[in-house]
Each structure stands twice: as structure tokens, then as C-alpha cells.
Short mmCIF file of all heavy atoms in Angstrom, two decimals:
data_model
loop_
_atom_site.label_atom_id
_atom_site.label_comp_id
_atom_site.label_asym_id
_atom_site.label_seq_id
_atom_site.Cartn_x
_atom_site.Cartn_y
_atom_site.Cartn_z
N HIS J 560 8.95 18.46 0.17
CA HIS J 560 8.43 17.12 0.45
C HIS J 560 6.99 17.03 -0.04
O HIS J 560 6.33 16.03 0.23
CB HIS J 560 8.57 16.81 1.88
CG HIS J 560 9.97 16.64 2.36
ND1 HIS J 560 10.65 17.72 2.86
CD2 HIS J 560 10.72 15.54 2.39
CE1 HIS J 560 11.87 17.26 3.18
NE2 HIS J 560 11.98 15.99 2.99
N ALA J 561 6.52 18.02 -0.75
CA ALA J 561 5.06 18.00 -1.24
C ALA J 561 4.72 16.73 -2.00
O ALA J 561 3.62 16.24 -1.82
CB ALA J 561 4.81 19.21 -1.98
N LYS J 562 5.64 16.24 -2.72
CA LYS J 562 5.37 15.02 -3.60
C LYS J 562 5.36 13.76 -2.80
O LYS J 562 4.82 12.75 -3.15
CB LYS J 562 6.42 14.92 -4.74
CG LYS J 562 6.34 15.97 -5.77
CD LYS J 562 7.30 15.79 -6.80
CE LYS J 562 7.35 16.96 -7.81
NZ LYS J 562 8.39 16.84 -8.80
N ASN J 563 5.88 13.79 -1.60
CA ASN J 563 6.03 12.65 -0.74
C ASN J 563 5.33 12.73 0.53
O ASN J 563 5.75 12.38 1.61
CB ASN J 563 7.52 12.29 -0.46
CG ASN J 563 8.28 11.98 -1.72
OD1 ASN J 563 7.77 11.20 -2.55
ND2 ASN J 563 9.46 12.57 -1.88
N ARG J 564 4.10 13.39 0.51
CA ARG J 564 3.35 13.66 1.72
C ARG J 564 3.07 12.43 2.53
O ARG J 564 3.12 12.45 3.75
CB ARG J 564 2.06 14.32 1.40
CG ARG J 564 2.17 15.68 0.84
CD ARG J 564 1.92 16.77 1.81
NE ARG J 564 2.05 18.09 1.17
CZ ARG J 564 2.46 19.11 1.76
NH1 ARG J 564 2.77 19.13 3.05
NH2 ARG J 564 2.63 20.26 1.01
N GLN J 565 2.85 11.25 1.91
CA GLN J 565 2.60 10.01 2.67
C GLN J 565 3.81 9.63 3.51
O GLN J 565 3.60 8.92 4.47
CB GLN J 565 2.06 8.88 1.76
CG GLN J 565 3.14 8.30 0.78
CD GLN J 565 3.25 9.09 -0.53
OE1 GLN J 565 2.76 10.23 -0.65
NE2 GLN J 565 3.88 8.50 -1.50
N HIS J 566 4.92 10.02 3.13
CA HIS J 566 6.22 9.66 3.84
C HIS J 566 6.61 10.80 4.80
O HIS J 566 7.57 10.69 5.56
CB HIS J 566 7.39 9.38 2.94
CG HIS J 566 7.10 8.25 2.03
ND1 HIS J 566 6.94 6.96 2.52
CD2 HIS J 566 6.90 8.14 0.71
CE1 HIS J 566 6.72 6.13 1.50
NE2 HIS J 566 6.67 6.85 0.43
N CYS J 567 5.92 11.94 4.68
CA CYS J 567 6.34 13.14 5.45
C CYS J 567 5.58 13.25 6.70
O CYS J 567 4.53 13.89 6.74
CB CYS J 567 6.11 14.36 4.54
SG CYS J 567 6.75 15.85 5.26
N GLN J 568 5.97 12.54 7.73
CA GLN J 568 5.28 12.58 9.03
C GLN J 568 5.67 13.86 9.75
O GLN J 568 6.87 14.19 9.84
CB GLN J 568 5.71 11.39 9.86
CG GLN J 568 5.24 10.06 9.33
CD GLN J 568 3.68 9.94 9.42
OE1 GLN J 568 3.11 10.45 10.35
NE2 GLN J 568 3.15 9.36 8.38
N ARG J 569 4.77 14.57 10.28
CA ARG J 569 5.02 15.77 10.97
C ARG J 569 5.12 15.48 12.49
O ARG J 569 4.38 14.71 13.00
CB ARG J 569 3.96 16.88 10.76
CG ARG J 569 3.96 17.30 9.35
CD ARG J 569 2.78 18.16 9.09
NE ARG J 569 1.61 17.32 9.10
CZ ARG J 569 0.37 17.71 8.88
NH1 ARG J 569 0.09 19.01 8.73
NH2 ARG J 569 -0.65 16.91 8.92
N ARG J 570 6.05 16.09 13.19
CA ARG J 570 6.15 16.04 14.58
C ARG J 570 4.89 16.59 15.23
O ARG J 570 4.29 16.11 16.24
CB ARG J 570 7.34 16.68 15.11
CG ARG J 570 7.54 16.48 16.64
CD ARG J 570 8.87 16.96 17.11
NE ARG J 570 9.05 16.54 18.45
CZ ARG J 570 10.15 16.82 19.16
NH1 ARG J 570 11.17 17.41 18.58
NH2 ARG J 570 10.23 16.41 20.39
N TRP J 571 4.48 17.68 14.68
CA TRP J 571 3.30 18.35 15.29
C TRP J 571 2.31 18.64 14.18
O TRP J 571 2.54 19.00 13.11
CB TRP J 571 3.67 19.74 15.94
CG TRP J 571 4.75 19.61 16.91
CD1 TRP J 571 6.05 19.96 16.71
CD2 TRP J 571 4.66 19.17 18.22
NE1 TRP J 571 6.71 19.72 17.85
CE2 TRP J 571 5.92 19.24 18.80
CE3 TRP J 571 3.58 18.66 18.97
CZ2 TRP J 571 6.15 18.86 20.14
CZ3 TRP J 571 3.85 18.29 20.28
CH2 TRP J 571 5.08 18.41 20.87
N GLU J 572 1.00 18.49 14.49
CA GLU J 572 -0.05 18.83 13.58
C GLU J 572 -0.85 19.93 14.25
O GLU J 572 -1.37 19.73 15.38
CB GLU J 572 -0.97 17.57 13.36
CG GLU J 572 -2.13 17.87 12.52
CD GLU J 572 -3.08 16.68 12.44
OE1 GLU J 572 -2.56 15.57 12.43
OE2 GLU J 572 -4.31 16.93 12.37
N LEU J 573 -0.98 21.05 13.55
CA LEU J 573 -1.70 22.18 14.14
C LEU J 573 -3.17 21.89 14.35
O LEU J 573 -3.78 21.47 13.37
CB LEU J 573 -1.43 23.48 13.31
CG LEU J 573 -1.93 24.73 13.93
CD1 LEU J 573 -1.16 24.98 15.27
CD2 LEU J 573 -1.74 25.86 12.96
N ILE J 574 -3.67 22.15 15.48
CA ILE J 574 -5.17 21.96 15.79
C ILE J 574 -5.70 23.23 16.11
O ILE J 574 -5.38 23.82 17.18
CB ILE J 574 -5.35 20.96 16.90
CG1 ILE J 574 -4.57 19.66 16.67
CG2 ILE J 574 -6.85 20.76 17.12
CD1 ILE J 574 -4.98 18.89 15.45
N GLY J 575 -6.48 23.85 15.25
CA GLY J 575 -7.02 25.17 15.54
C GLY J 575 -5.90 26.18 15.63
O GLY J 575 -4.92 26.14 14.92
N GLU J 576 -6.02 27.12 16.56
CA GLU J 576 -5.05 28.21 16.72
C GLU J 576 -4.11 27.92 17.92
O GLU J 576 -3.11 28.61 18.10
CB GLU J 576 -5.69 29.55 16.88
CG GLU J 576 -6.39 29.98 15.61
CD GLU J 576 -5.45 30.27 14.52
OE1 GLU J 576 -4.34 30.87 14.76
OE2 GLU J 576 -5.73 30.03 13.38
N THR J 577 -4.48 27.01 18.85
CA THR J 577 -3.84 26.94 20.08
C THR J 577 -3.21 25.66 20.50
O THR J 577 -2.50 25.57 21.56
CB THR J 577 -4.80 27.35 21.18
OG1 THR J 577 -5.87 26.44 21.26
CG2 THR J 577 -5.35 28.77 21.04
N SER J 578 -3.50 24.59 19.82
CA SER J 578 -2.86 23.31 20.25
C SER J 578 -2.26 22.50 19.15
O SER J 578 -2.53 22.81 17.94
CB SER J 578 -3.99 22.50 20.97
OG SER J 578 -5.05 22.20 20.08
N VAL J 579 -1.52 21.56 19.49
CA VAL J 579 -0.89 20.62 18.55
C VAL J 579 -0.98 19.18 18.96
O VAL J 579 -1.21 18.93 20.14
CB VAL J 579 0.65 21.01 18.28
CG1 VAL J 579 0.84 22.37 17.67
CG2 VAL J 579 1.38 20.91 19.59
N ARG J 580 -0.79 18.28 18.10
CA ARG J 580 -0.81 16.85 18.33
C ARG J 580 0.53 16.22 18.03
O ARG J 580 1.25 16.66 17.11
CB ARG J 580 -1.83 16.13 17.61
CG ARG J 580 -3.23 16.46 18.02
CD ARG J 580 -4.25 15.50 17.39
NE ARG J 580 -5.59 15.88 17.84
CZ ARG J 580 -6.61 15.95 17.14
NH1 ARG J 580 -6.59 15.51 15.88
NH2 ARG J 580 -7.79 16.27 17.67
N LEU J 581 0.93 15.24 18.75
CA LEU J 581 2.18 14.51 18.45
C LEU J 581 1.99 13.72 17.11
O LEU J 581 0.84 13.48 16.73
CB LEU J 581 2.49 13.61 19.61
CG LEU J 581 2.97 14.33 20.87
CD1 LEU J 581 3.04 13.37 22.02
CD2 LEU J 581 4.33 14.94 20.54
N SER J 582 3.07 13.38 16.57
CA SER J 582 2.97 12.61 15.27
C SER J 582 2.44 11.25 15.31
O SER J 582 2.44 10.62 16.35
CB SER J 582 4.48 12.57 14.66
OG SER J 582 5.17 11.66 15.41
N ASN J 583 2.05 10.77 14.19
CA ASN J 583 1.61 9.36 14.10
C ASN J 583 2.74 8.41 14.47
O ASN J 583 2.53 7.40 14.99
CB ASN J 583 1.12 9.03 12.66
CG ASN J 583 -0.20 9.75 12.39
OD1 ASN J 583 -0.89 10.21 13.26
ND2 ASN J 583 -0.50 9.93 11.10
N SER J 584 3.94 8.83 14.10
CA SER J 584 5.12 7.94 14.39
C SER J 584 5.27 7.87 15.91
O SER J 584 5.54 6.70 16.46
CB SER J 584 6.43 8.62 13.82
OG SER J 584 7.51 7.82 14.08
N PHE J 585 5.09 8.95 16.67
CA PHE J 585 5.25 8.83 18.12
C PHE J 585 4.05 7.98 18.64
O PHE J 585 4.28 7.11 19.50
CB PHE J 585 5.15 10.25 18.75
CG PHE J 585 4.99 10.13 20.30
CD1 PHE J 585 6.08 9.84 21.10
CD2 PHE J 585 3.79 10.25 20.90
CE1 PHE J 585 5.89 9.70 22.45
CE2 PHE J 585 3.62 10.16 22.25
CZ PHE J 585 4.69 9.88 23.09
N SER J 586 2.86 8.15 18.19
CA SER J 586 1.70 7.43 18.62
C SER J 586 1.94 5.95 18.39
O SER J 586 1.65 5.13 19.31
CB SER J 586 0.50 7.89 17.83
OG SER J 586 -0.62 7.15 18.30
N GLY J 587 2.50 5.54 17.28
CA GLY J 587 2.79 4.18 16.92
C GLY J 587 3.84 3.59 17.91
O GLY J 587 3.70 2.49 18.34
N ALA J 588 4.86 4.38 18.18
CA ALA J 588 5.96 3.94 19.01
C ALA J 588 5.43 3.69 20.47
O ALA J 588 5.72 2.68 21.06
CB ALA J 588 7.09 4.92 19.02
N LEU J 589 4.60 4.64 20.92
CA LEU J 589 4.09 4.52 22.23
C LEU J 589 3.11 3.36 22.34
O LEU J 589 3.17 2.54 23.29
CB LEU J 589 3.33 5.82 22.67
CG LEU J 589 2.71 5.83 24.08
CD1 LEU J 589 3.72 5.54 25.18
CD2 LEU J 589 2.00 7.10 24.33
N ARG J 590 2.19 3.23 21.38
CA ARG J 590 1.26 2.19 21.36
C ARG J 590 1.94 0.80 21.39
O ARG J 590 1.57 -0.08 22.19
CB ARG J 590 0.34 2.30 20.17
CG ARG J 590 -0.65 1.12 19.96
CD ARG J 590 -1.23 1.10 18.58
NE ARG J 590 -0.23 0.91 17.53
CZ ARG J 590 0.35 -0.21 17.14
NH1 ARG J 590 0.07 -1.29 17.84
NH2 ARG J 590 1.19 -0.25 16.17
N THR J 591 2.92 0.62 20.58
CA THR J 591 3.58 -0.59 20.49
C THR J 591 4.35 -1.02 21.77
O THR J 591 4.21 -2.09 22.27
CB THR J 591 4.65 -0.60 19.33
OG1 THR J 591 4.01 -0.28 18.11
CG2 THR J 591 5.42 -1.87 19.20
N PHE J 592 5.03 0.08 22.39
CA PHE J 592 5.69 -0.19 23.63
C PHE J 592 4.68 -0.52 24.76
O PHE J 592 4.84 -1.50 25.45
CB PHE J 592 6.51 1.05 24.03
CG PHE J 592 7.22 0.92 25.34
CD1 PHE J 592 8.23 -0.03 25.45
CD2 PHE J 592 6.91 1.76 26.46
CE1 PHE J 592 8.91 -0.12 26.68
CE2 PHE J 592 7.61 1.64 27.65
CZ PHE J 592 8.64 0.69 27.72
N ALA J 593 3.58 0.20 24.80
CA ALA J 593 2.56 -0.04 25.79
C ALA J 593 1.93 -1.52 25.65
O ALA J 593 1.72 -2.18 26.61
CB ALA J 593 1.38 0.96 25.73
N TYR J 594 1.73 -1.88 24.41
CA TYR J 594 1.13 -3.21 24.17
C TYR J 594 2.05 -4.31 24.73
O TYR J 594 1.64 -5.20 25.49
CB TYR J 594 0.82 -3.48 22.66
CG TYR J 594 0.45 -4.92 22.50
CD1 TYR J 594 -0.83 -5.30 22.68
CD2 TYR J 594 1.40 -5.86 22.05
CE1 TYR J 594 -1.20 -6.66 22.47
CE2 TYR J 594 1.04 -7.17 21.87
CZ TYR J 594 -0.34 -7.56 22.08
OH TYR J 594 -0.62 -8.88 21.90
N PHE J 595 3.32 -4.26 24.28
CA PHE J 595 4.22 -5.33 24.69
C PHE J 595 4.55 -5.33 26.21
O PHE J 595 4.70 -6.37 26.80
CB PHE J 595 5.51 -5.38 23.78
CG PHE J 595 5.16 -5.87 22.47
CD1 PHE J 595 5.13 -5.01 21.37
CD2 PHE J 595 4.86 -7.17 22.17
CE1 PHE J 595 4.82 -5.47 20.08
CE2 PHE J 595 4.57 -7.72 20.92
CZ PHE J 595 4.56 -6.89 19.90
N MET J 596 4.59 -4.09 26.74
CA MET J 596 4.81 -4.04 28.22
C MET J 596 3.52 -4.62 28.91
O MET J 596 3.72 -5.46 29.85
CB MET J 596 4.98 -2.58 28.65
CG MET J 596 6.37 -2.07 28.26
SD MET J 596 7.75 -2.94 29.08
CE MET J 596 7.50 -2.45 30.78
N SER J 597 2.37 -4.23 28.61
CA SER J 597 1.18 -4.64 29.36
C SER J 597 0.76 -6.07 29.07
O SER J 597 0.01 -6.64 29.82
CB SER J 597 0.04 -3.68 29.08
OG SER J 597 -0.31 -3.61 27.75
N SER J 598 1.21 -6.60 27.95
CA SER J 598 0.86 -8.01 27.63
C SER J 598 1.81 -9.00 28.32
O SER J 598 1.57 -10.18 28.34
CB SER J 598 0.84 -8.22 26.17
OG SER J 598 2.18 -8.20 25.63
N GLY J 599 2.97 -8.52 28.74
CA GLY J 599 3.97 -9.36 29.40
C GLY J 599 4.83 -10.10 28.34
O GLY J 599 5.50 -10.99 28.69
N SER J 600 4.77 -9.60 27.10
CA SER J 600 5.47 -10.25 26.07
C SER J 600 6.59 -9.45 25.45
O SER J 600 7.04 -9.71 24.35
CB SER J 600 4.48 -10.67 24.97
OG SER J 600 3.78 -9.53 24.43
#
């Protein structure tokens, strides 16, 4: 997938030696759900 890095979302991004972050896709899904839930819409 090296040629398609912009489409290649990783579930985990390594941070240093000991921690990872969730993917941008998860962040977007959570953010969107939170917005529509908390806005009442």
C-alpha cells in the first residue's frame, strides 16, 4: 500500500516505544457520533 498512503489508514500509530493511538477513521467516527448526539440532531 506504499503508493496509496493517503488511503491507508492505520488502526494504530506507534508513539515512541510504549503507546499507540487510534486511527483517524475511529476519531472521525467518534467525533461525528458525539456531535450529533450532543447537539440533539
